[in-house]
């Protein structure tokens, strides 16, 4: 049985219409920015395997740290026990994050990091004996596929069958912007006024606001300005609403700073981290909050306890990978690479925008570059599949979101590899469109 037959018999792929999807590629090895197929072909991974990989596939230092840890302590439950990798990582995270973000709650993936944040926010108000259970979130926002995350992410349009099961969320438009956008201030003012209207209309019901700061990921790589985030956070704080930053995708260098909150100069009340947290090696996540919020859960009263947890909370292997990934940031001078990557992105994206009239809304932020082609938007549509397959046949893994073509390479990609990816994109745009 070949890989295709075995997988199609037994495994159900994520986000995939199995009826029309093309045959999956059997990958046997990853090294640096490349994935190697069983068919002898190699693919330049320009989306970091769903935005998780940071320093390259099978980075030796992270592999070594996990190997060492697995021989010492593979796992221990985190309720009655602790261990060095968790102590080290939570301390490091507290030092990296701005303000008073110091209390780290570990879980397994982006969705659970978001669930944890939503439950923390709701119980914060419960513990104050001032119950509030609603959230403000953004149109086209994506926060994961568990029920709480779907409820605040219903603006991404993926959840029709589950609509009736989702809790109330007030959606406001995300003021997406791009190069040469001259309406950005109006869009931002409109959003801020809608947030204000929500706050007035649902006075004392809104527990918090959740946003993917600076970039919405799955909703289409939509970028907003730091100025907007600053005003939004100030508005929430003035109205006593908790601010949750879902940095599951933006965290760990993606925006050009370690976190989008740092780039924007604002401090949320709760931050969700996953994807790149382990360098892309293991499913791992953290929800970090302030001492002020944490302290409200300290009580003799059992109902104030945060009754939430996951079997693999603070898994030592995940912590070891996360510690090793932070070390690689230093050792490999990752932020120098990130700055170079941003320069190449800017250069090539501006070239593409000039050359192809069909290319619209170019935008670059840190390690992420995107543009739109044509007007057909839907996730997984035919057009995006054709493009993806064309890129794959040319040895590049790029996976458009509807009509949005974007690059989010691992930080190890070198300039010539990145230029090569752009050359391929240009050749496809010239041929196909
Ligand atoms: C991917 C993603 C999630 C969900 O993470 P999973 O690990 O897939 O559950 C949540 N929020 C954002 C912003 C994401 O990009």
């Amino acid at each position: 049985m070949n890989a295709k037959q075995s997988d199609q018999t037994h495994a159900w792929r994520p986000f995939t219409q199995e009826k029309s999807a093309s045959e999956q590629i059997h990958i046997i090895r990853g090294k640096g920015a490349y994935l190697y197929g069983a068919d002898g072909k190699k693919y330049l991974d320009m989306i970091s395997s769903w935005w998780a990989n940071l320093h390259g596939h099978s980075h030796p230092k992270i592999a070594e740290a996990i190997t060492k840890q697995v021989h010492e302590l593979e796992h221990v439950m985190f309720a009655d026990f602790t261990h060095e990798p968790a102590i080290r990582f939570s301390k490091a995270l507290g030092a990296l994050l701005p303000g008073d973000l110091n209390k780290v709650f570990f879980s397994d993936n982006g969705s659970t990091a978001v669930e944890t944040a939503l439950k923390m926010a709701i119980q914060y108000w419960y513990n104050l004996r001032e119950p509030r259970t609603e959230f403000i979130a953004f149109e086209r926002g994506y926060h994961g596929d568990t029920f709480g995350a779907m409820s605040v992410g219903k603006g991404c349009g993926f959840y029709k069958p589950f609509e009736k099961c989702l809790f109330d969320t007030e959606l406001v438009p995300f003021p997406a912007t791009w190069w040469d956008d001259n309406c950005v201030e109006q869009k931002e003012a409109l959003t801020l006024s809608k947030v204000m209207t929500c706050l007035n209309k649902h006075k004392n019901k809104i527990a918090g606001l959740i946003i993917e700061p600076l970039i919405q990921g799955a909703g289409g790589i939509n970028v907003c300005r730091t100025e907007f985030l600053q005003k939004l956070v100030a508005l929430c704080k003035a109205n006593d609403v908790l601010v949750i930053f879902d940095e599951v995708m933006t965290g760990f260098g993606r925006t050009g700073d370690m976190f989008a909150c740092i780039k924007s100069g604002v401090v949320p009340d709760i931050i969700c981290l996953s994807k790149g947290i382990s360098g892309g090696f293991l499913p791992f996540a953290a929800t970090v909050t302030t001492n002020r919020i944490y302290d409200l859960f300290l009580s003799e009263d059992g109902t104030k306890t945060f009754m939430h947890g996951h079997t693999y909370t603070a898994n030592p292997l995940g912590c070891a990978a996360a510690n090793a990934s932070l070390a690689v940031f230093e050792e490999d001078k990752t932020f120098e690479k990130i700055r170079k990557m941003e320069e190449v992105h800017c250069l090539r994206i501006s070239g593409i925008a000039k050359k192809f009239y069909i290319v619209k809304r170019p935008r670059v932020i840190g390690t992420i570059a995107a543009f739109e082609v044509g007007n057909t938007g839907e996730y997984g549509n035919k057009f995006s599949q054709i493009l993806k397959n064309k890129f794959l046949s040319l040895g590049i893994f790029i996976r458009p979101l509807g009509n949005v073509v974007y690059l989010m390479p691992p930080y190890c990609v070198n300039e010539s590899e990145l230029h090569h990816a752009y050359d391929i994109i240009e050749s496809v745009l010239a041929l196909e469109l």
Side-chain angles (χ1 to χ4, degrees):
M1 202 187 280
N2 65 32
K4 180 193 172 191
Q5 286 161 336
S6 72
D7 204 21
Q8 287 192 342
T9 310
H10 298 291
W12 191 342
R13 287 178 278 172
F15 283 107
T16 300
Q17 176 43 262
E18 299 271 5
K19 185 160 190 241
S20 54
S22 41
E23 190 180 323
Q24 66 259 66
I25 300 161
H26 189 167
I27 297 297
I28 50 170
R29 200 162 64 81
K31 187 85 211 142
Y34 286 97
L35 294 165
Y36 294 84
D39 56 4
K41 289 190 185 147
K42 65 174 186 175
Y43 305 91
L44 193 53
D45 182 359
M46 285 294 101
I47 65 156
S48 303
S49 276
W50 262 344
W51 322 340
N53 193 282
L54 295 189
H55 309 292
H57 290 283
S58 302
H59 192 289
K61 285 183 183 145
I62 303 176
E64 192 190 309
I66 296 170
T67 309
K68 189 160 167 275
Q69 185 59 42
V70 84
H71 290 293
E72 278 165 20
L73 176 66
E74 84 302 343
H75 186 62
V76 64
M77 59 182 285
F78 204 59
D80 297 305
F81 300 105
T82 189
H83 46 80
E84 194 273 338
I87 295 167
R88 183 140 66 100
F89 187 61
S90 32
K91 200 168 157 204
L93 212 45
L96 284 171
L97 287 166
D100 188 25
L101 287 164
N102 271 314
K103 291 289 176 189
V104 183
F105 198 103
F106 290 107
S107 65
D108 313 330
N109 56 67
S111 307
T112 56
V114 169
E115 294 295 328
T116 306
L118 299 174
K119 287 177 71 176
M120 266 179 195
I122 290 171
Q123 193 172 345
Y124 165 88
W125 293 107
Y126 174 89
N127 286 358
L128 279 172
R129 299 297 182 249
E130 215 190 294
R132 301 184 182 193
T133 54
E134 290 175 29
F135 290 89
I136 299 175
F138 285 81
E139 287 165 12
R140 296 193 287 174
Y142 177 79
H143 300 288
D145 295 328
T146 49
F147 277 91
M150 285 196 289
S151 299
V152 290
K154 61 182 141 199
C156 74
F158 296 160
Y159 307 129
K160 247 211 137 18
F162 312 107
E163 250 166 28
K164 285 227 163 72
C165 315
L166 306 183
F167 61 66
D168 284 344
T169 298
E170 292 294 320
L171 293 178
V172 294
F174 188 86
T177 189
W178 44 82
W179 292 354
D180 300 324
D181 172 17
N182 43 32
C183 302
V184 63
E185 271 137 25
Q186 283 117 287
K187 287 183 277 190
E188 291 174 356
L190 177 71
T191 297
L192 293 169
S193 85
K194 291 206 166 178
V195 170
M196 202 57 233
T197 308
C198 271
L199 291 172
N200 289 332
K201 197 168 127 209
H202 300 263
K203 216 167 179 49
N204 304 329
K205 290 205 187 107
I206 305 286
L209 172 144
I210 182 165
I211 184 169
E212 294 162 88
L214 294 183
I215 320 171
Q216 289 186 318
I221 316 291
N222 308 310
V223 175
C224 76
R225 301 194 306 168
T226 55
E227 292 91 325
F228 165 72
L229 267 189
Q230 288 160 1
K231 288 181 192 156
L232 179 72
V233 171
L235 183 61
C236 290
K237 300 224 160 159
N239 286 276
D240 208 12
V241 159
L242 297 180
V243 176
I244 303 171
F245 273 10
D246 178 354
E247 294 220 32
V248 166
M249 184 272 274
T250 53
F252 300 98
R254 279 290 164 205
T255 64
D257 269 296
M258 199 51 139
F259 301 104
C261 58
I262 292 176
K263 194 179 180 90
S264 324
V266 289
V267 187
D269 297 291
I270 306 177
I271 183 169
C272 309
L273 303 167
S274 187
K275 290 207 164 89
I277 194 171
S278 66
F281 276 62
L282 288 165
F284 193 59
T287 305
V288 190
T289 191
T290 59
N291 293 323
R292 182 178 75 87
I293 292 180
Y294 172 81
D295 287 347
L296 265 178
F297 291 72
L298 305 178
S299 174
E300 305 292 315
D301 173 358
T303 67
K304 291 196 174 179
T305 308
F306 193 42
M307 292 301 284
H308 181 88
H310 300 279
T311 310
Y312 284 97
T313 294
N315 173 254
L317 304 178
C319 292
N323 284 320
S325 173
L326 289 184
V328 172
F329 268 98
E330 300 275 321
E331 289 159 19
D332 288 10
K333 300 203 169 61
T334 299
F335 279 99
E336 278 175 28
K337 298 181 184 184
I338 286 174
R339 272 188 290 279
K340 285 226 178 74
M341 189 188 291
E342 186 166 16
E343 275 171 29
V344 176
H345 277 330
C346 287
L347 181 75
R348 298 301 303 258
I349 290 283
S350 76
I352 286 174
K354 281 193 199 110
K355 205 154 157 188
F356 301 95
Y357 74 93
I358 195 165
V359 165
K360 295 185 186 126
R361 300 181 174 178
R363 52 225 189 225
V364 173
I365 178 167
T367 66
I368 305 169
F371 58 83
E372 295 172 27
V373 266
N375 298 311
T376 44
E378 192 189 327
Y379 182 94
N381 64 11
K382 260 228 164 77
F383 176 70
S384 64
Q385 291 196 32
I386 292 168
L387 271 184
K388 177 182 75 178
N389 290 334
K390 188 75 199 163
F391 288 134
L392 277 172
S393 74
L394 295 164
I396 308 282
F397 186 37
I398 292 175
R399 198 170 191 272
L401 286 163
N403 67 326
V404 181
V405 177
Y406 73 93
L407 269 69
M408 203 186 299
Y411 307 151
C412 68
V413 76
N414 67 34
E415 282 183 67
S416 79
E417 288 162 344
L418 192 52
H419 278 295
H420 175 65
Y422 276 112
D423 292 343
I424 298 277
I425 291 175
E426 290 202 11
S427 73
V428 170
L429 288 173
L431 263 175
E432 299 290 305
L433 304 164

mmCIF file of all heavy atoms in Angstrom, residues 15 50-51 108-114 142-146 149 212 215-218 246-250 272 274-275 284-285, ligand 1:
data_model
loop_
_atom_site.group_PDB
_atom_site.id
_atom_site.type_symbol
_atom_site.label_atom_id
_atom_site.label_comp_id
_atom_site.label_asym_id
_atom_site.label_seq_id
_atom_site.Cartn_x
_atom_site.Cartn_y
_atom_site.Cartn_z
ATOM 1 N N PHE A 15 -9.366 20.555 7.575
ATOM 2 C CA PHE A 15 -9.720 21.615 6.626
ATOM 3 C C PHE A 15 -9.665 21.142 5.171
ATOM 4 O O PHE A 15 -9.201 21.872 4.298
ATOM 5 C CB PHE A 15 -8.758 22.808 6.768
ATOM 6 C CG PHE A 15 -9.057 23.675 7.961
ATOM 7 C CD1 PHE A 15 -8.244 23.655 9.079
ATOM 8 C CD2 PHE A 15 -10.156 24.519 7.951
ATOM 9 C CE1 PHE A 15 -8.529 24.460 10.176
ATOM 10 C CE2 PHE A 15 -10.447 25.324 9.043
ATOM 11 C CZ PHE A 15 -9.634 25.298 10.153
ATOM 12 N N TRP A 50 1.956 25.586 8.367
ATOM 13 C CA TRP A 50 0.876 26.223 9.136
ATOM 14 C C TRP A 50 1.422 27.129 10.229
ATOM 15 O O TRP A 50 0.937 27.158 11.344
ATOM 16 C CB TRP A 50 -0.133 25.202 9.673
ATOM 17 C CG TRP A 50 -1.351 25.116 8.785
ATOM 18 C CD1 TRP A 50 -1.738 26.005 7.844
ATOM 19 C CD2 TRP A 50 -2.347 24.075 8.772
ATOM 20 N NE1 TRP A 50 -2.917 25.599 7.235
ATOM 21 C CE2 TRP A 50 -3.301 24.420 7.795
ATOM 22 C CE3 TRP A 50 -2.507 22.902 9.517
ATOM 23 C CZ2 TRP A 50 -4.418 23.629 7.513
ATOM 24 C CZ3 TRP A 50 -3.620 22.116 9.238
ATOM 25 C CH2 TRP A 50 -4.565 22.475 8.243
ATOM 26 N N TRP A 51 2.471 27.869 9.877
ATOM 27 C CA TRP A 51 2.955 28.989 10.686
ATOM 28 C C TRP A 51 3.603 28.561 11.991
ATOM 29 O O TRP A 51 3.810 29.372 12.890
ATOM 30 C CB TRP A 51 1.807 29.998 10.976
ATOM 31 C CG TRP A 51 0.877 30.205 9.818
ATOM 32 C CD1 TRP A 51 1.132 29.941 8.499
ATOM 33 C CD2 TRP A 51 -0.464 30.705 9.842
ATOM 34 N NE1 TRP A 51 0.049 30.251 7.717
ATOM 35 C CE2 TRP A 51 -0.951 30.723 8.524
ATOM 36 C CE3 TRP A 51 -1.300 31.153 10.864
ATOM 37 C CZ2 TRP A 51 -2.236 31.163 8.183
ATOM 38 C CZ3 TRP A 51 -2.575 31.604 10.524
ATOM 39 C CH2 TRP A 51 -3.034 31.611 9.202
ATOM 40 N N ASP A 108 -2.079 22.878 25.229
ATOM 41 C CA ASP A 108 -1.517 22.047 24.157
ATOM 42 C C ASP A 108 -1.526 22.641 22.758
ATOM 43 O O ASP A 108 -0.828 22.174 21.871
ATOM 44 C CB ASP A 108 -2.303 20.724 24.057
ATOM 45 C CG ASP A 108 -2.528 20.080 25.403
ATOM 46 O OD1 ASP A 108 -1.676 20.281 26.286
ATOM 47 O OD2 ASP A 108 -3.537 19.395 25.576
ATOM 48 N N ASN A 109 -2.411 23.606 22.514
ATOM 49 C CA ASN A 109 -2.506 24.137 21.141
ATOM 50 C C ASN A 109 -3.159 25.508 21.182
ATOM 51 O O ASN A 109 -3.577 25.978 22.252
ATOM 52 C CB ASN A 109 -3.292 23.175 20.243
ATOM 53 C CG ASN A 109 -4.671 22.879 20.791
ATOM 54 O OD1 ASN A 109 -5.526 23.761 20.839
ATOM 55 N ND2 ASN A 109 -4.894 21.665 21.235
ATOM 56 N N GLY A 110 -3.280 26.139 20.021
ATOM 57 C CA GLY A 110 -3.808 27.488 19.973
ATOM 58 C C GLY A 110 -5.245 27.579 20.468
ATOM 59 O O GLY A 110 -5.607 28.515 21.189
ATOM 60 N N SER A 111 -6.060 26.600 20.091
ATOM 61 C CA SER A 111 -7.459 26.626 20.517
ATOM 62 C C SER A 111 -7.579 26.549 22.033
ATOM 63 O O SER A 111 -8.360 27.279 22.643
ATOM 64 C CB SER A 111 -8.231 25.463 19.893
ATOM 65 O OG SER A 111 -8.071 25.455 18.495
ATOM 66 N N THR A 112 -6.800 25.674 22.649
ATOM 67 C CA THR A 112 -6.889 25.565 24.115
ATOM 68 C C THR A 112 -6.306 26.803 24.792
ATOM 69 O O THR A 112 -6.778 27.197 25.857
ATOM 70 C CB THR A 112 -6.178 24.301 24.650
ATOM 71 O OG1 THR A 112 -4.827 24.289 24.207
ATOM 72 C CG2 THR A 112 -6.882 23.033 24.197
ATOM 73 N N ALA A 113 -5.314 27.426 24.168
ATOM 74 C CA ALA A 113 -4.783 28.674 24.729
ATOM 75 C C ALA A 113 -5.887 29.734 24.738
ATOM 76 O O ALA A 113 -6.007 30.513 25.685
ATOM 77 C CB ALA A 113 -3.580 29.161 23.926
ATOM 78 N N VAL A 114 -6.705 29.743 23.682
ATOM 79 C CA VAL A 114 -7.805 30.714 23.593
ATOM 80 C C VAL A 114 -8.921 30.351 24.574
ATOM 81 O O VAL A 114 -9.436 31.207 25.289
ATOM 82 C CB VAL A 114 -8.330 30.810 22.139
ATOM 83 C CG1 VAL A 114 -9.631 31.594 22.074
ATOM 84 C CG2 VAL A 114 -7.274 31.454 21.241
ATOM 85 N N TYR A 142 -9.956 34.682 13.501
ATOM 86 C CA TYR A 142 -9.882 33.228 13.666
ATOM 87 C C TYR A 142 -9.154 32.927 14.972
ATOM 88 O O TYR A 142 -8.071 33.453 15.216
ATOM 89 C CB TYR A 142 -9.135 32.578 12.498
ATOM 90 C CG TYR A 142 -8.987 31.081 12.675
ATOM 91 C CD1 TYR A 142 -10.050 30.231 12.385
ATOM 92 C CD2 TYR A 142 -7.815 30.524 13.175
ATOM 93 C CE1 TYR A 142 -9.938 28.860 12.580
ATOM 94 C CE2 TYR A 142 -7.693 29.157 13.379
ATOM 95 C CZ TYR A 142 -8.759 28.332 13.073
ATOM 96 O OH TYR A 142 -8.655 26.971 13.278
ATOM 97 N N HIS A 143 -9.763 32.062 15.801
ATOM 98 C CA HIS A 143 -9.156 31.778 17.101
ATOM 99 C C HIS A 143 -9.064 30.298 17.417
ATOM 100 O O HIS A 143 -8.752 29.935 18.545
ATOM 101 C CB HIS A 143 -9.933 32.516 18.194
ATOM 102 C CG HIS A 143 -9.941 34.003 18.009
ATOM 103 N ND1 HIS A 143 -8.825 34.787 18.227
ATOM 104 C CD2 HIS A 143 -10.921 34.856 17.572
ATOM 105 C CE1 HIS A 143 -9.122 36.052 17.956
ATOM 106 N NE2 HIS A 143 -10.376 36.132 17.545
ATOM 107 N N GLY A 144 -9.369 29.428 16.445
ATOM 108 C CA GLY A 144 -9.297 27.992 16.692
ATOM 109 C C GLY A 144 -10.666 27.356 16.565
ATOM 110 O O GLY A 144 -11.671 28.043 16.384
ATOM 111 N N ASP A 145 -10.717 26.036 16.706
ATOM 112 C CA ASP A 145 -11.925 25.295 16.328
ATOM 113 C C ASP A 145 -12.659 24.628 17.479
ATOM 114 O O ASP A 145 -13.558 23.814 17.251
ATOM 115 C CB ASP A 145 -11.562 24.272 15.254
ATOM 116 C CG ASP A 145 -11.116 24.967 13.977
ATOM 117 O OD1 ASP A 145 -11.637 26.073 13.706
ATOM 118 O OD2 ASP A 145 -10.252 24.441 13.274
ATOM 119 N N THR A 146 -12.317 24.932 18.719
ATOM 120 C CA THR A 146 -13.127 24.476 19.849
ATOM 121 C C THR A 146 -14.278 25.478 20.024
ATOM 122 O O THR A 146 -14.261 26.545 19.420
ATOM 123 C CB THR A 146 -12.259 24.390 21.111
ATOM 124 O OG1 THR A 146 -11.544 25.617 21.234
ATOM 125 C CG2 THR A 146 -11.271 23.240 21.009
ATOM 126 N N ALA A 149 -13.580 29.151 21.137
ATOM 127 C CA ALA A 149 -12.780 29.790 20.086
ATOM 128 C C ALA A 149 -13.626 30.026 18.831
ATOM 129 O O ALA A 149 -13.506 31.074 18.177
ATOM 130 C CB ALA A 149 -11.565 28.922 19.757
ATOM 131 N N GLU A 212 -6.643 39.354 17.148
ATOM 132 C CA GLU A 212 -5.336 38.938 16.659
ATOM 133 C C GLU A 212 -4.588 40.243 16.386
ATOM 134 O O GLU A 212 -4.881 40.923 15.402
ATOM 135 C CB GLU A 212 -5.478 38.147 15.360
ATOM 136 C CG GLU A 212 -6.184 36.809 15.494
ATOM 137 C CD GLU A 212 -6.677 36.311 14.144
ATOM 138 O OE1 GLU A 212 -5.931 35.637 13.434
ATOM 139 O OE2 GLU A 212 -7.844 36.621 13.792
ATOM 140 N N ILE A 215 -2.094 41.365 12.867
ATOM 141 C CA ILE A 215 -2.418 40.571 11.678
ATOM 142 C C ILE A 215 -3.465 39.522 12.003
ATOM 143 O O ILE A 215 -3.274 38.716 12.922
ATOM 144 C CB ILE A 215 -1.223 39.755 11.136
ATOM 145 C CG1 ILE A 215 0.067 40.543 11.192
ATOM 146 C CG2 ILE A 215 -1.480 39.280 9.709
ATOM 147 C CD1 ILE A 215 1.255 39.691 10.881
ATOM 148 N N GLN A 216 -4.537 39.508 11.246
ATOM 149 C CA GLN A 216 -5.448 38.365 11.280
ATOM 150 C C GLN A 216 -4.858 37.312 10.362
ATOM 151 O O GLN A 216 -4.533 37.599 9.208
ATOM 152 C CB GLN A 216 -6.822 38.765 10.749
ATOM 153 C CG GLN A 216 -7.604 39.680 11.658
ATOM 154 C CD GLN A 216 -9.013 39.909 11.128
ATOM 155 O OE1 GLN A 216 -9.207 40.093 9.927
ATOM 156 N NE2 GLN A 216 -9.986 39.913 12.022
ATOM 157 N N GLY A 217 -4.755 36.071 10.858
ATOM 158 C CA GLY A 217 -4.135 35.012 10.071
ATOM 159 C C GLY A 217 -5.098 34.347 9.102
ATOM 160 O O GLY A 217 -5.227 34.738 7.934
ATOM 161 N N ALA A 218 -5.812 33.329 9.599
ATOM 162 C CA ALA A 218 -6.649 32.502 8.721
ATOM 163 C C ALA A 218 -7.743 33.303 8.016
ATOM 164 O O ALA A 218 -8.215 32.907 6.948
ATOM 165 C CB ALA A 218 -7.272 31.364 9.530
ATOM 166 N N ASP A 246 -4.747 37.403 20.994
ATOM 167 C CA ASP A 246 -4.484 36.070 20.467
ATOM 168 C C ASP A 246 -3.238 36.171 19.588
ATOM 169 O O ASP A 246 -3.312 36.518 18.413
ATOM 170 C CB ASP A 246 -5.694 35.562 19.672
ATOM 171 C CG ASP A 246 -5.438 34.183 19.063
ATOM 172 O OD1 ASP A 246 -4.299 33.693 19.156
ATOM 173 O OD2 ASP A 246 -6.390 33.606 18.497
ATOM 174 N N GLU A 247 -2.090 35.892 20.209
ATOM 175 C CA GLU A 247 -0.812 35.942 19.477
ATOM 176 C C GLU A 247 -0.339 34.530 19.116
ATOM 177 O O GLU A 247 0.862 34.272 19.028
ATOM 178 C CB GLU A 247 0.247 36.700 20.286
ATOM 179 C CG GLU A 247 -0.075 38.179 20.465
ATOM 180 C CD GLU A 247 1.154 39.073 20.326
ATOM 181 O OE1 GLU A 247 2.069 38.734 19.541
ATOM 182 O OE2 GLU A 247 1.185 40.113 21.010
ATOM 183 N N VAL A 248 -1.298 33.639 18.927
ATOM 184 C CA VAL A 248 -0.967 32.263 18.561
ATOM 185 C C VAL A 248 -0.121 32.252 17.279
ATOM 186 O O VAL A 248 0.841 31.508 17.159
ATOM 187 C CB VAL A 248 -2.248 31.425 18.411
ATOM 188 C CG1 VAL A 248 -1.977 30.093 17.713
ATOM 189 C CG2 VAL A 248 -2.869 31.183 19.787
ATOM 190 N N MET A 249 -0.482 33.109 16.330
ATOM 191 C CA MET A 249 0.297 33.188 15.092
ATOM 192 C C MET A 249 1.354 34.293 15.153
ATOM 193 O O MET A 249 2.479 34.096 14.705
ATOM 194 C CB MET A 249 -0.653 33.402 13.900
ATOM 195 C CG MET A 249 0.026 33.412 12.561
ATOM 196 S SD MET A 249 0.609 35.043 12.107
ATOM 197 C CE MET A 249 -0.855 35.701 11.351
ATOM 198 N N THR A 250 1.020 35.473 15.715
ATOM 199 C CA THR A 250 1.944 36.615 15.661
ATOM 200 C C THR A 250 3.113 36.496 16.625
ATOM 201 O O THR A 250 4.101 37.227 16.485
ATOM 202 C CB THR A 250 1.195 37.929 15.964
ATOM 203 O OG1 THR A 250 0.481 37.774 17.201
ATOM 204 C CG2 THR A 250 0.223 38.281 14.868
ATOM 205 N N CYS A 272 -2.410 34.877 24.365
ATOM 206 C CA CYS A 272 -2.430 33.461 23.996
ATOM 207 C C CYS A 272 -1.275 33.177 23.043
ATOM 208 O O CYS A 272 -1.117 33.880 22.044
ATOM 209 C CB CYS A 272 -3.729 33.108 23.262
ATOM 210 S SG CYS A 272 -5.208 33.639 24.126
ATOM 211 N N SER A 274 0.962 30.004 20.941
ATOM 212 C CA SER A 274 1.126 28.593 20.562
ATOM 213 C C SER A 274 1.949 28.560 19.270
ATOM 214 O O SER A 274 2.934 29.264 19.172
ATOM 215 C CB SER A 274 -0.233 27.906 20.425
ATOM 216 O OG SER A 274 -0.047 26.515 20.226
ATOM 217 N N LYS A 275 1.531 27.782 18.287
ATOM 218 C CA LYS A 275 2.240 27.650 16.998
ATOM 219 C C LYS A 275 3.764 27.681 17.162
ATOM 220 O O LYS A 275 4.348 26.659 17.458
ATOM 221 C CB LYS A 275 1.730 28.713 16.030
ATOM 222 C CG LYS A 275 0.291 28.415 15.572
ATOM 223 C CD LYS A 275 -0.040 28.993 14.213
ATOM 224 C CE LYS A 275 -1.277 28.384 13.620
ATOM 225 N NZ LYS A 275 -2.541 29.041 13.953
ATOM 226 N N PHE A 284 2.052 22.660 21.774
ATOM 227 C CA PHE A 284 2.328 23.284 23.063
ATOM 228 C C PHE A 284 1.741 24.689 23.057
ATOM 229 O O PHE A 284 1.656 25.307 21.991
ATOM 230 C CB PHE A 284 3.855 23.336 23.265
ATOM 231 C CG PHE A 284 4.290 23.656 24.664
ATOM 232 C CD1 PHE A 284 3.918 22.842 25.722
ATOM 233 C CD2 PHE A 284 5.071 24.769 24.934
ATOM 234 C CE1 PHE A 284 4.319 23.128 27.016
ATOM 235 C CE2 PHE A 284 5.487 25.059 26.225
ATOM 236 C CZ PHE A 284 5.118 24.242 27.273
ATOM 237 N N ALA A 285 1.322 25.187 24.205
ATOM 238 C CA ALA A 285 0.721 26.523 24.237
ATOM 239 C C ALA A 285 0.814 27.126 25.626
ATOM 240 O O ALA A 285 0.985 26.416 26.618
ATOM 241 C CB ALA A 285 -0.738 26.447 23.808
HETATM 242 C C1 LIG B 1 -3.910 28.659 14.399
HETATM 243 C C2 LIG B 1 -4.540 29.656 15.284
HETATM 244 C C3 LIG B 1 -5.318 29.267 16.384
HETATM 245 C C4 LIG B 1 -5.634 27.828 16.682
HETATM 246 O O1 LIG B 1 -4.501 27.101 16.980
HETATM 247 P P1 LIG B 1 -4.543 25.491 16.877
HETATM 248 O O2 LIG B 1 -3.220 25.087 17.420
HETATM 249 O O3 LIG B 1 -4.720 25.171 15.436
HETATM 250 O O4 LIG B 1 -5.679 25.036 17.714
HETATM 251 C C5 LIG B 1 -5.814 30.257 17.216
HETATM 252 N N1 LIG B 1 -5.580 31.554 16.952
HETATM 253 C C6 LIG B 1 -4.841 31.969 15.915
HETATM 254 C C7 LIG B 1 -4.597 33.413 15.705
HETATM 255 C C8 LIG B 1 -4.306 31.033 15.031
HETATM 256 O O5 LIG B 1 -3.601 31.439 13.966
#
